Amino acid sequence: MKRLGLALAALMVSATAAFAQQTPAVTGMGDAQTTVFVEAGRLLADPATGVVQRGKTLVIRGNQVVEVRDGFVGDASQGKVVDLRDAFVLPGLIDSHVHLTGQQSASSRIDGLVQSDADQAMVGARYARRTLLAGFTTVADLGASNEAIFALRNAVRNGDVPGPRIIASGSAVSIHGGHGDINGYREDILHLMSPESVCSGAEDCMRAVRSQVRSGADIIKITATGGVLSNTAAGLNQQFSDAELAAIVESAHRMGRQVTAHAHGVDGINAFLRAGGDSIEHGTYLDDQSIRLFKTNNAWLVPTLLAGDFVARVASGPNNFFTPAQTAKALEAGPKMLDMARRAHNAGVKIAFGTDTGVSAHGDNAQEFALLVLAGLTPLEAIQAATVGAAEHLKIADEAGRIAVGRAADIVAVAGDPLTDVTELERVKFVMRNGVVYRAD
């Protein structure tokens, strides 16, 4: 722990110095005396309404929006004026499923052996900054070393490291030998690297949930089914027993945490939803019963279409770096995810934007928008999924998802109209997070 603290202290100094060299000057974080006037040519302040206003000035004081004025009325004598008169302005984007402390590559299996928690926190700082500059001002990190991700979350919160607001699960709760445990290494390494959040039996799974909460988890992430990238030929079906799922959900809810489940196979999806789970990540094989359970439980689907697209492309390409077990599952599940999202959307299931980035490359998160549109969402619905929808899903709607008086000043802008061409969101030109300007191209 002492070594981690020292490493993170060094990280904060180096990251801040590098950031200062590569980006425009920023306003003072949390300075109640600092006023910024953002003059917005087109403003989608509340994506829930779909109403685009024209010629507005957002008044930012400290880290909050304090007023929305008609016209371009920024006053340079009273603060800094940001000219976005020719831009399309909208709330900071939210990605409900990322893994900041790593990224899939040919070296991923070795990285887990040689990187310390401190190393992973430093890697996470790099990817957090990249994510922020891509326009994502809030993320949910669903699976990382407890020490690495909780330290990174706190460093961003304290203003020591540039990055999005992080809602973190830490280690996923998993069965022994399942997706979320360590697989494919020799026996002594398996025991050395297996996280404390791995469990067997209802009582042990209650322990795992409580331990994660004690360690600092904002949300509980579980692996209800097998997964594509676990190096084991264990399939994609249900892995926890029904009794274990019920114990996990009850324990988490009793401690004020929602539970989200990585789930591909329909048996695991439906068992988790029947147990009262709050949301499903992926949902590849959901069926009509799943859809009824989603709607009955008011649960959310996070489709992660970018992850499905990415793994299918890697597994079928000339430079495939997956193991045989990973390749087989990638080719099986990846191509099915677009149709899954289309069926869920047509049936009225609530969809929150999430990418599983860290599988694909950090900074490419906005490519999910075009995939959601291919799955049948309108550009506005895709934007809603990444703003008001994701904010509701993550229970931060009083803070993020809209540009409104009293909410955090999380603001992005693009040159074109994303309601006409949603890929505009892949070319963000301006990023403000918590009242601080991080990007102004």
Side-chain angles (χ1 to χ4, degrees):
M1 288 293 291
K2 184 177 181 181
R3 288 195 300 271
L4 177 65
L6 292 172
L8 283 172
L11 161 69
M12 293 168 190
V13 173
S14 62
T16 302
F19 173 73
Q21 294 172 3
Q22 298 175 36
T23 61
V26 300
T27 63
M29 181 174 286
D31 182 357
Q33 304 305 312
T34 301
T35 300
V36 180
F37 301 95
V38 178
E39 297 181 334
R42 291 162 291 170
L43 174 64
L44 180 62
D46 185 356
T49 68
V51 174
V52 179
Q53 304 173 59
R54 294 183 177 272
K56 295 287 185 177
T57 298
L58 308 174
V59 183
I60 315 297
R61 189 163 297 118
N63 61 4
Q64 287 190 337
V65 178
V66 297
E67 191 177 354
V68 181
R69 298 177 181 173
D70 292 330
F72 299 135
V73 292
D75 188 343
S77 68
Q78 297 183 15
K80 178 181 178 181
V81 178
V82 176
D83 183 358
L84 297 177
R85 296 184 182 190
D86 295 327
F88 189 106
V89 178
L90 65 159
L93 304 172
I94 302 170
D95 191 330
S96 302
H97 189 149
V98 302
H99 301 278
L100 290 173
T101 60
Q103 184 168 293
Q104 279 295 315
S105 70
S107 67
S108 293
R109 295 186 69 234
I110 299 301
D111 292 343
L113 294 174
V114 300
Q115 290 179 345
S116 67
D117 288 336
D119 292 330
Q120 291 177 12
M122 293 181 179
V123 169
R126 178 173 77 236
Y127 290 143
R129 180 178 180 277
R130 189 175 298 175
T131 301
L132 177 63
L133 295 183
F136 288 84
T137 56
T138 301
V139 299
D141 189 288
L142 301 181
S145 153
N146 283 354
E147 288 196 6
I149 194 60
F150 296 153
L152 179 61
R153 173 196 63 192
N154 296 343
V156 171
R157 181 185 296 162
N158 294 335
D160 297 318
V161 172
R165 177 188 296 103
I166 299 172
I167 296 164
S169 72
S171 296
V173 177
S174 170
I175 66 163
H176 288 94
H179 184 67
D181 197 3
I182 302 301
N183 295 284
Y185 297 97
R186 72 189 204 197
E187 190 70 17
D188 55 340
I189 292 176
L190 292 179
H191 289 288
L192 181 66
M193 295 182 63
S194 186
E196 292 185 7
S197 57
V198 171
C199 59
S200 290
E203 289 191 6
D204 193 32
C205 289
M206 292 171 66
R207 173 207 55 80
V209 169
R210 292 166 178 169
S211 294
Q212 282 304 108
V213 174
R214 180 182 64 187
S215 295
D218 302 308
I219 185 173
I220 298 298
K221 158 53 175 319
I222 77 166
T223 54
T225 73
V228 169
L229 294 182
S230 49
N231 187 26
T232 177
L236 296 171
N237 292 327
Q238 182 174 347
Q239 294 193 334
F240 283 102
S241 71
D242 289 356
E244 288 169 333
L245 291 172
I248 288 167
V249 172
E250 180 183 1
S251 298
H253 287 175
R254 282 182 182 274
M255 299 190 79
R257 300 299 190 274
Q258 65 190 96
V259 190
T260 193
H262 155 105
H264 289 287
V266 66
D267 52 355
I269 293 169
N270 294 351
F272 177 72
L273 292 174
R274 282 195 299 268
D278 300 293
S279 53
I280 293 286
E281 313 290 327
H282 316 308
T284 307
Y285 291 94
L286 62 79
D287 63 6
D288 290 343
Q289 183 183 6
S290 313
I291 288 169
R292 288 192 294 271
L293 287 166
F294 269 109
K295 298 175 78 172
T296 298
N297 294 3
N298 202 30
W300 289 84
L301 171 66
V302 184
T304 66
L305 301 180
L306 183 56
D309 177 75
F310 178 83
V311 298
R313 283 188 283 112
V314 170
S316 60
N319 300 312
N320 179 19
F321 52 77
F322 293 150
T323 67
Q326 292 171 327
T327 297
K329 290 180 288 184
L331 294 175
E332 175 188 348
K336 292 180 169 62
M337 295 181 77
L338 267 177
D339 180 66
M340 169 275 298
R342 182 178 296 110
R343 289 185 289 112
H345 172 253
N346 288 342
V349 172
K350 297 192 302 183
I351 291 177
F353 184 104
T355 62
D356 207 0
T357 292
V359 173
S360 55
H362 293 283
D364 290 347
N365 312 54
Q367 292 178 10
E368 180 84 9
F369 286 107
L371 293 168
L372 288 170
V373 171
L374 278 177
L377 280 70
T378 66
L380 176 60
E381 287 173 329
I383 292 169
Q384 289 169 339
T387 52
V388 290
E392 182 184 343
H393 158 51
L394 296 173
K395 302 190 184 305
I396 55 170
D398 60 344
E399 185 175 6
R402 293 175 171 84
I403 298 173
V405 173
R407 284 183 169 81
D410 294 350
I411 299 166
V412 300
V414 294
D417 184 352
L419 298 176
T420 301
D421 177 6
V422 79
T423 67
E424 282 292 328
L425 295 171
E426 299 176 24
R427 299 177 288 278
V428 167
K429 303 296 184 184
F430 175 87
V431 179
M432 172 184 281
R433 215 285 281 183
N434 230 27
V436 178
V437 177
Y438 288 95
R439 180 170 190 167
D441 294 358

